[in-house]
């Protein structure tokens, strides 16, 4: 009897036992055989678990099929599991109700509608859950049809649905909601009709306050779910977006931006707006890249003004066009350095014969303090007043001093006779006395001691006039403007950004950096310098072959050692009224010129970056050479 009673309770009242017939055992018992956790934390999804249903996907609810809408409205009843009818009569009534529902006979006169049949079941069995679920589904179906009718703008059909819905038990809330929406649509219907007429007249967005856009917005304010008004806004926005595409196709990027901004005020987050904005930006960038490519071509052709104009056009089209930073750097270099870059080494080929000029280094532009302060050890009055010089024009400076081999090319090509050859000799080093003496045989082909020089030694025994003759020949041979550097350019390049006494620091160098007088140096006769850098030895007594030591930070060799060098300027006793732009300070007819930079025989004070000497333009010495400069 107990077993029979349990079976009857299990069969007809399973909720009393917290069980449902037909549920597999693995859903009621955990993996280990224990009861499942109340919240199901130990469960794993079944491989046969249903995927997202149609009711959870697709277009907005007001435009979805009625069946989908009804399924969403009836979601609350989805968990109900109808029980088997208790009598044949109820079973027959439920079957007829389902058939009537499927045949769209939802409500109406007579006893064959789904509503009447479900009501008949509930009259026989007031607690019949299958009939109750059927009424819930019926109510959801009617609500869905009402929404569909409103979405289509058919207020009369929605009113018919409302009348039917009022007949369904417990549908008062749904009926009230549908009635409210019908009244709202009746209110906005004249607005929609007027808006459609304005669209036909081409008054989509204007005049302000009397356009189709304004009326659709009023309609949505009264009925926020009105699909017709929403579609009207989408149509207007599509028209504005088409204007943006048409404008960008004609390179009217300002017009395209204005159209996109207007479209954003209509439906700010629409997918159509995002897609069009992406297309417009893609066209803009492609066009900007094309214009920037033209700018590069103009720059390559030597027309920086046109290149800059085209680059500005590219930036106006698309401010973030790729490659603009690299182009701006090239343009800056083109203006300052004739398309070279600071620190670049180059050599100009001769125009009329084989060969090339000296290797040149592009010197970066900048500013520096020229001269020395009064308190600097070794300071001389001619090195002041200290003043700022702005080297704003790019120039190139010889990587090394002009060599004997390079000067020989000039002499052979021109037959030039140097000052030493004309006036008879130069000043050479005398090992026997340890001093400089005059030699009537020394020429540019000889070294500091009057012996035959090596090809890669810096040329010495040349006057300022000889240096001028060489740069003029080099200009003719290459077609470029070569010259001697100005005094300001020389000191700027020598310092290479430093503000100390020497370009390497304030004291004796700690490693071989220049060919200067060192306490550890020895002459061929083992002479010592009387005044030299302590604890320094460079291994040379006299000039070394060029590039025997490290370059300074600008990439220039032997700027403060090896041999002193001629510059363009006339001699002035101080820097009062000296140019501030890096140009040479020249007075017509001046006889004395400036020599800059230390040499192999200069004492430490004479190696300072600010040190300068006065010399006649005809001076020749085994301690003086030159290097060339070139305008860019």
């Amino acid at each position: 009897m107990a077993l029979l009673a349990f079976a009857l309770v299990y069969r007809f009242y399973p909720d009393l036992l917290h069980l449902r017939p037909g549920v597999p055992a693995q859903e009621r018992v955990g993996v280990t055989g224990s009861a499942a956790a109340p919240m199901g934390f130990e469960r794993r999804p079944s491989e046969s678990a249903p995927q997202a249903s149609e009711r959870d996907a697709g277009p907005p609810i007001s435009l979805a099929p009625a069946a989908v809408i009804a399924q969403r409205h009836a979601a609350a009843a989805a968990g109900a599991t109808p029980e088997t009818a208790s009598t044949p009569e109820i079973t027959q009534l439920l079957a007829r109700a389902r058939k009537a529902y499927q045949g769209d006979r939802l409500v109406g006169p007579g006893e064959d509608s789904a509503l009447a049949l479900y009501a008949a079941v509930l009259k026989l069995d007031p607690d019949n859950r299958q009939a109750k679920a059927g009424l819930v589904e019926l109510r959801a179906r009617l609500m869905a049809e009402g929404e569909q009718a409103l979405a289509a703008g058919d207020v009369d059909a929605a009113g018919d649905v409302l009348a039917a819905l009022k007949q369904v038990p417990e549908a008062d809330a749904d009926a009230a909601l549908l009635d409210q929406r019908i009244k709202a649509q009746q209110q906005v219907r004249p607005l929609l009709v007027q808006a459609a007429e304005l669209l036909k007249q081409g008054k989509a967005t204007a005049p302000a306050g009397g356009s189709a856009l304004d009326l659709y917005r009023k309609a949505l304010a009264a009925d926020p779910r009105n699909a017709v008004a929403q579609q009207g806004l989408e149509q207007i926005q599509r028209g504005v977006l088409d204007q943006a595409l048409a404008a960008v196709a004609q390179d009217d990027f300002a017009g395209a931006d204005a159209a996109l901004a207007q479209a954003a005020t209509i439906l700010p987050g629409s997918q159509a707006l995002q897609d069009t904005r992406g297309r417009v930006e893609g066209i803009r960038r492609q066009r900007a890249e094309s214009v920037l490519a033209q700018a590069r071509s103009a720059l390559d052709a030597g027309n920086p003004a046109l290149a800059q104009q085209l680059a500005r056009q590219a930036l106006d089209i698309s401010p973030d066009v790729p490659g603009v930073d690299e182009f701006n750097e090239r343009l800056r270099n083109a203006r300052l350095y004739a398309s070279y870059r600071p620190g670049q080494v180059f050599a100009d080929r001769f125009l009329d014969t084989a060969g090339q000029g000296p290797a040149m280094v592009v010197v970066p532009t900048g500013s520096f303090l020229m001269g020395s302060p009064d308190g600097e050890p070794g300071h001389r009055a001619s090195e002041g007043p200290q003043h700022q010089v702005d080297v704003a024009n790019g120039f190139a400076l010889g990587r090394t001093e002009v060599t004997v081999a390079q000067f020989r090319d000039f002499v052979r090509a021109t037959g030039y006779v140097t000052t030493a050859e004309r006036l008879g000799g130069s000043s050479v080093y005398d090992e026997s006395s340890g001093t400089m003496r005059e030699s009537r045989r020394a020429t540019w082909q000889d070294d500091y001691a009057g012996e035959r020089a090596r090809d890669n030694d810096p040329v010495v025994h040349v006057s300022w006039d000889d240096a001028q003759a060489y740069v003029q020949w080099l200009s003719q041979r290459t077609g470029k403007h070569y010259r001697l550097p100005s005094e300001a350019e020389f000191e700027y390049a020598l310092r290479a950004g430093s503000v100390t006494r020497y370009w390497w620091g304030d004291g004796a160098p700690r490693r071989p950096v220049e060919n200067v007088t060192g306490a550890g140096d020895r002459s061929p006769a083992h002479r010592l310098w009387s005044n030299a850098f302590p604890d320094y030895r460079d291994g040379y007594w006299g000039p070394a072959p060029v590039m025997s030591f490290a370059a300074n930070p600008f990439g220039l060799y032997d700027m403060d050692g090896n041999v002193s060098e001629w510059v363009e300027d006339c001699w002035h006793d101080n820097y009062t009224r000296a140019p501030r732009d890096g140009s040479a300070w020249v007075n017509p007819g001046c006889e004395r010129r400036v020599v800059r930079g230390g040499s192999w025989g200069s004492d430490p004070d004479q190696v300072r970056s600010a040190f300068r000497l006065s010399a006649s333009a005809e001076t020749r010495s085994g301690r003086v050479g030159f290097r060339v400069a070139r305008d860019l």
Side-chain angles (χ1 to χ4, degrees), residues 41-52:
F41 293 123
E42 297 301 322
R43 289 190 176 183
R44 298 293 183 268
S46 170
E47 293 183 359
S48 60
Q51 300 301 313

Side-chain angles (χ1 to χ4, degrees), residues 8-22:
L8 291 173
V9 171
Y10 174 80
R11 176 65 183 81
F12 295 104
Y13 303 98
D15 288 347
L16 295 177
L17 301 178
H18 303 287
L19 296 173
R20 290 187 337 201

Side-chain angles (χ1 to χ4, degrees), residues 26-91:
Q26 61 266 31
E27 293 189 20
R28 300 194 301 269
V29 181
V31 175
T32 60
S34 61
M39 298 301 292
F41 293 123
E42 297 301 322
R43 289 190 176 183
R44 298 293 183 268
S46 170
E47 293 183 359
S48 60
Q51 300 301 313
S53 65
E54 185 184 4
R55 68 185 177 86
D56 295 319
I61 186 69
S62 60
L63 302 179
V68 176
I69 303 174
Q71 190 176 8
R72 294 189 187 182
H73 279 295
T81 304
E83 75 282 4
T84 304
S86 58
T87 67
E89 183 180 3
I90 291 177
T91 300

Side-chain angles (χ1 to χ4, degrees), residues 237-493:
Q237 187 185 60
R238 282 195 300 271
V240 177
L241 294 176
D242 288 343
Q243 295 175 15
L245 293 173
V248 79
Q250 299 176 6
D251 290 347
D252 181 9
F253 301 105
D257 287 341
L260 287 174
Q262 183 181 11
T265 65
I266 298 172
L267 289 172
S270 72
Q271 188 62 44
L273 174 62
Q274 298 176 28
D275 292 345
T276 305
R277 186 174 284 155
R279 291 177 62 187
V280 168
E281 184 56 35
I283 296 172
R284 291 183 71 138
R285 179 166 296 191
Q286 184 179 15
R287 177 59 177 149
E289 290 175 354
S290 175
V291 175
L292 189 61
Q294 297 176 31
R296 293 191 184 98
S297 298
L299 194 57
D300 293 339
N303 193 340
L306 177 60
Q308 183 178 30
Q309 179 182 352
L310 291 171
R312 287 174 178 170
Q313 290 180 14
L315 287 174
D316 288 341
I317 295 171
S318 180
D320 58 347
V321 57
V324 69
D325 291 337
E326 175 269 338
F327 172 82
N328 285 335
E329 181 65 21
R330 283 191 58 198
L331 180 62
R332 178 178 180 276
N333 289 344
R335 287 181 161 174
L336 294 176
Y337 313 111
S339 294
Y340 295 108
R341 63 182 181 278
Q344 183 174 348
V345 179
F346 69 92
D348 291 319
R349 295 190 177 277
F350 294 156
L351 298 175
D352 53 355
T353 185
Q356 60 185 24
M360 307 295 292
V361 176
V362 178
V363 178
T365 58
S367 301
F368 78 109
L369 283 177
M370 187 173 180
S372 64
D374 295 343
E376 180 176 291
H379 167 79
R380 300 186 180 187
S382 62
E383 299 167 7
Q386 195 175 31
H387 58 288
Q388 179 172 311
V389 174
D390 298 320
V391 181
N393 296 321
F395 71 101
L397 197 59
R399 196 179 189 190
T400 69
E401 297 124 341
V402 174
T403 66
V404 172
Q406 290 167 340
F407 199 82
R408 182 185 298 120
D409 291 339
F410 156 63
V411 172
R412 287 177 176 175
T414 63
Y416 179 79
V417 178
T418 64
T419 303
E421 293 169 315
R422 286 189 297 105
L423 300 182
S426 178
S427 174
V428 299
Y429 173 75
D430 182 12
E431 179 63 31
S432 61
S433 64
T435 61
M436 302 295 292
R437 65 173 178 82
E438 293 299 319
S439 169
R440 298 194 62 82
R441 296 185 302 106
T443 71
W444 63 269
Q445 301 182 74
D446 299 322
D447 67 5
Y448 76 108
E451 304 296 331
R452 182 64 64 179
R454 296 163 294 194
D455 282 355
N456 59 346
D457 281 344
V459 67
V460 291
H461 309 305
V462 288
S463 66
W464 184 89
D465 294 328
D466 297 335
Q468 284 291 336
Y470 178 83
V471 296
Q472 291 172 13
W473 168 78
L474 198 59
S475 297
Q476 294 172 356
R477 186 56 63 91
T478 63
K480 307 297 182 181
H481 183 216
Y482 281 86
R483 54 180 174 80
L484 291 179
S486 71
E487 185 179 6
E489 289 173 337
F490 191 95
E491 184 174 334
Y492 174 68

Side-chain angles (χ1 to χ4, degrees), residues 401 458 490 494 503-504 513-517 538 542-544 549 557-565 596-602 606-607 623 627:
E401 297 124 341
F490 191 95
L494 167 60
W503 66 258
W504 60 80
V513 292
E514 292 277 13
N515 179 14
V516 293
T517 54
D538 55 48
F549 299 89
Y557 292 86
D558 305 317
M559 286 293 294
D560 204 16
N562 225 25
V563 296
S564 299
E565 303 177 25
R596 293 299 302 254
S599 75
W600 57 271
S602 300
Q606 295 173 334
V607 180
R623 293 172 56 178
R627 76 178 67 212

